[in-house]
Structure formats: structure tokens, C-alpha cells
Amino acid sequence: MDNNRVRANESCGQDEDFLARSMESADWMEQVRNLNTEYALRTGKVRTYRLDVFGCQMNERDAETIAGMLTNMGYEQVPEDQPADINVFVTCCVRENAEEKVYGHIGALSRECEKRGSIVVASGCMMQQPHVAERIKNTFRHVKIVFGTHNIHEFPRLLHQHLTSGKRVFEIWDKEGRVIEDMPIKRSQRHKAWVNIVFGCNNFCTYCIVPYVRGRERSRRKEDVLAEIRALAADGCREVTLLGQNVNSYGNDFGEKDLFARLLYDIEEIDGIDRVRFTTSHPKDLSDSLIRAMKECGKVCEHLHLPFQAGSNRILERMNRKYTREHYLDLVDRIRDAIPDIALSTDIIVGFPGETGEDFEDTLDLVRRVRFDSAYTFIYSPRRGTPAEKWEQTEPHEVISERFKRLVEVQTEIATQLAKKYEGKTVEVLVDGPSKTNPEMQSGRTRTGRLVNFRAEGDLTGRMVDVEIIRAGAFWLEGKEGVHRG
Ligand code: SF4
């Protein structure tokens, strides 16, 4: 695949100005590369960058595109703890504490940038909010370039502008553009890859900032997704995770029904890919044909992330989730009827405005009934510009914290019980590499998404290994020495 080519998704119709501008990205990359070649010849040094990524898999994937562009432009990546010429932040605004961390990390670089003449580039969801961009502009003089989620492909032009003028460049599009294909990518792992299938979200849950900062749903063409996965397989990738805020509505913007299920059948035919995962599934859109595809496609892993957010119908309605607890429970039954060993994970919000003790008990009840393998649990955090931001919090903070603690206890107990069923069993593990906490152990994931650490000679990164589990906790499994499969 030609790394430098930038192409807009032609199936959506085209705004000529947008197309013209996006086609220029490759040229801007070349111009920056030329500047860096001159710099290297003059100084004997190569310019460097480092990445600081916050938030979800979408941001991880965006960071791979930014890294791809920087590599293409002649920059070398350095580890997070080393100084660099360009410090890129990919930011998240889904919760307040993530935002505060970003401000903290950017502020901490002020002295280093002044001393070294290096710069900060701020991008991602936070930058789509005008008050954030304004604060960055006024508070952090060492932030020289800002762009948002809709104009990542414009980064080379903005960088060129800064390098040649020395000026600060802030450019944020307030509206999403077309899907841009074939941007350069520097993947963080070879054996596993994130693959975007749909961008944006049309759902407008009342607590969520995503539709405002990532725009409306735009699907990639199926041929483009499949071409990317075939290229990944040819390059040694074994597992793909298909990404979208709501993968179940993939293709709806083309007027296509059940395109996501059909995509899974097509990926099943790609040699070299052993595992397929996807995230995130909205419960209101998970169809029977998708359940059938998950059952019939052997490569689709037995793991489903299905956020339920709240167990009370009253709160679900206030959240604009467009399903009831009865629908959710029925859906779980249908999924388990089709795929009995499936592991389920979920997202749960505690303390949504108006949540009473009774509503919270409904949430706990749903957790006990479904018995999730894992759950991402959050205390509600108001986001500026969302409907729920204006709704009064009726419960004191201590009450909400207590509810949160109870929820975590119940969920941890369930996850521990479910983990015990792995003890004494042999599971297939795709190895990610040495464990972060104990480099003598190798670490990887089961098809059900469980983390496994086990002893092994040498680095088995990217290998498929059979591991007998000897101990199990809520968040990890420990295995005996693994037996290679391939
Ligand atoms: S489905 Fe709801 S929670 Fe998920 S991204 Fe869209 S608006 Fe946010």
C-alpha cells in the first residue's frame, strides 16, 4: 500500500474543497520531510517526537496515524520519559479527571520546552471544545500547534506552517469531514491491530460528549476495511479489533442493513487472521443476524463488550439509551443461548443525576443477574455542553461514593468466581510480550479477553500458545509454562 497517498471515501459524495485539501496532506508531509533532511545534514541530528495518549481505543488508533505521519516526515519516536522535539498529546474529554491530567502533563513540559526549544502539539477530543482550546492558547505558550478530531490529516500542513513561520497554529474544524483513507500508520504492535470501521455517533446519550467532539456516524467502505485487514494479515497480524462508537450501526449511513454482520463473514475468509474482536456494541442495535454471525464465524472471539450503564428503566430513559433493562436481559439470554461460553463485559455509571437508592439497587440487581466477567465502573462526571450537565445532582457525594464502592465489591466478587472456572483448564493465549510487572513472565489474552501471565523461555510476542491455568484472580490468570502452537 502506498503510504503517502491520502484518499477520501468516495462512496459518501464529495465536497471538492475538502477533497482538494485532504489530497494535499502527502505533499505537506514531503515538504516537512525535506526540512528535516536539511536539518539533519546541517546538525547531524534527527528530530524526535513522543506521544502521550489519553482515553479510548479510538484515540490509540488516532495516535498511530499521528505517529505514522511523523515517521513519514522524518521524525524518530522516543520513549515517553525522554525529551523530544515534539511532544504530541492525544486528549480525551469523556471524564473530568482525564482532562485535568492533560492540563497537568502539558503544564509540566513548560520548562523543558523553553530550555530545549521543543514544542507541544495538542490534539484529540478535548480540542474540539472551544473553551479548552481557548484555555490552552492563553495558559500554555509552549503549545504551538492545536488540531481536533476532524482534521488530523491536516497536521503536516500545520506543522509546516509552524516550522517555517515560528508562529502558533490553532486550527480546529467544527464539523466532521469525509472519511480519509490510506493515511500512514505506525502500529504499536505487529500481531494485533485496531481497525476503524465507523467514526462518530448519532445516539446522543444525555451524559456523553462524544457526538459533539467526534461528529455524526460515518462508515468506511467495506472494501476499504477488508483491504486494510488483508494487508495487516500479509504483514503478520493475527488479531484485529474493529472500532466504532457503535459498531452495530456500521453501514447505516449507506442505507445498508446488517452490513456489520456481513463484514464479519467476509473477515472470516481472510487467511492469517486468527481472531476478530469489536467494540463498542450498543444494546439497542445488536441484531439477531449479528448474534448468528458471531456464532458462525470461528474467528470472532467469545467476548462481547455490551455497556448497560444503568439498571433502572427510569435512569435509562433519562440517559436516552433507548432500551429497557428487560430488553438488555433478553438480549443477554439470546446471546448466551447462541454462544454459551461468551464472556461479557460492560460499562456502568453510578450517580447519574436523579439516581435514587432504588435505581441503584436495580443496577446492582442487573449486575448480579448477568454476572459480567468484567466491568468498567464510573462515577458520573458532568460534561459541558451535554443535556445532563444542567441536571441537578440530588444525592450527596458520600452516598454516591458508597454506592460505587458497593458496586465494585459485588462486581469483583462475581469476576473472581467466574475466573475460578479457568483453574486447571488449558486456554489459547495470543502473547503480547513480557509482562509489564514481571519481565520473566510472558503476558497475553485468552479469546475471552482474560489477561494471562505465564513463565516461558524467551520472547513469545505474537505467538499462539496453549497455557494451563494454575491460579485465577478477578483481573488475571496465572499459567504454567506455555506450549507453542504457532
Ligand atoms: S452511544 Fe451514547 S455513550 Fe456511546 S458514544 Fe454514542 S452518545 Fe456516547
Side-chain angles (χ1 to χ4, degrees), residues 200-211 245-246 280 282 284 307 309 319-321:
C201 181
N202 291 355
N203 288 309
F204 291 94
C205 301
T206 53
Y207 53 82
C208 184
I209 191 76
V210 168
Q245 303 298 341
N246 178 14
T280 294
H282 196 302
K284 78 175 166 57
Q309 308 296 7
M319 288 177 163
N320 193 31
R321 290 291 289 175

Side-chain angles (χ1 to χ4, degrees), residues 376-391:
Y376 297 90
T377 49
F378 308 99
I379 289 182
Y380 168 71
S381 163
R383 302 286 68 210
R384 198 195 280 203
T386 60
E389 181 211 356
K390 300 193 178 61
W391 298 346

Side-chain angles (χ1 to χ4, degrees), residues 121-177:
V121 173
S123 69
C125 296
M126 268 174 82
M127 302 307 131
Q128 287 297 136
Q129 304 174 97
H131 70 278
V132 172
E134 201 54 34
R135 177 169 168 187
I136 298 264
K137 196 175 201 167
N138 297 334
T139 318
F140 303 111
R141 298 291 308 169
H142 57 299
V143 178
K144 302 297 186 191
I145 300 172
V146 169
F147 56 93
T149 56
H150 304 320
N151 62 335
I152 291 182
H153 61 285
E154 292 265 281
F155 175 41
R157 182 177 65 76
L158 307 181
L159 180 56
H160 185 269
Q161 202 172 320
H162 168 72
L163 289 173
T164 51
S165 71
K167 290 190 178 148
R168 302 175 83 195
V169 187
F170 282 52
E171 204 168 298
I172 297 145
W173 292 7
D174 57 5
K175 200 170 165 5
E176 66 275 12

